[in-house]
Amino acid sequence: MTYLVDVCNDAISLRLSLTSEQFTGPAGPVTVLKLPIPLSFACKARNLSELGGGELRTVFVFKRIDMDPLGFDAFARNLCRDTDWLEGQCLALPVANARACVMVVATGRPILFIDTQGYSYARYVARLG
């Protein structure tokens, strides 16, 4: 596991280093980024308050989506709503107890890891922060 921790009087900063891994799928080789810590995924969570408590899974990121904070807030209020930008965002990996995820990032918000399982909504979601 690779991470750096910086502690000062009023904050703790954690820097996680993602590692690159390559898998061969039906469409050929695919490169993903592996998060160095497992996360707990919630199934069909309606909003951020329902995240956590699920089984820990290894996280592989195959796509990053940057959002503005207001767009993130609107999305996070209803995670079960179908969205165009999650349509077709699915990747099968030959790894047990792992999730292939879209990483959703917005300034000042938690980072979300979403496994759609082929749906156009956030079917499985974990958060960091």
Side-chain angles (χ1 to χ4, degrees):
M1 181 180 322
T2 306
Y3 61 89
L4 301 170
V5 178
D6 183 34
V7 179
C8 63
N9 289 338
D10 60 351
I12 298 173
S13 299
L14 178 65
R15 178 180 168 89
L16 300 172
S17 297
L18 301 171
T19 55
S20 180
E21 293 196 21
Q22 191 170 47
F23 296 100
T24 302
V30 61
T31 301
V32 294
L33 298 173
K34 181 181 178 185
L35 194 67
I37 58 172
L39 295 178
S40 174
F41 282 82
C43 180
K44 299 181 184 177
R46 290 182 303 227
N47 55 52
L48 296 182
S49 70
E50 295 185 355
L51 297 185
E55 289 185 40
L56 293 176
R57 301 288 182 176
T58 302
V59 179
F60 292 94
V61 176
F62 65 90
K63 184 173 185 177
R64 175 182 169 149
I65 296 177
D66 291 286
M67 298 181 81
D68 64 80
L70 292 177
F72 180 95
D73 292 344
F75 169 68
R77 277 192 293 276
N78 187 358
L79 295 170
C80 289
R81 181 183 67 234
D82 288 324
T83 58
D84 293 342
W85 55 271
L86 282 177
E87 183 75 37
Q89 300 298 324
C90 183
L91 180 66
L93 293 177
V95 180
N97 298 320
R99 297 218 174 270
C101 297
V102 172
M103 180 171 67
V104 179
V105 179
T107 302
R109 304 299 188 266
I111 300 169
L112 299 183
F113 297 89
I114 299 171
D115 179 0
T116 67
Q117 296 266 302
Y119 294 89
S120 60
Y121 71 95
R123 187 164 175 87
Y124 289 92
V125 184
R127 70 182 274 170
L128 189 59

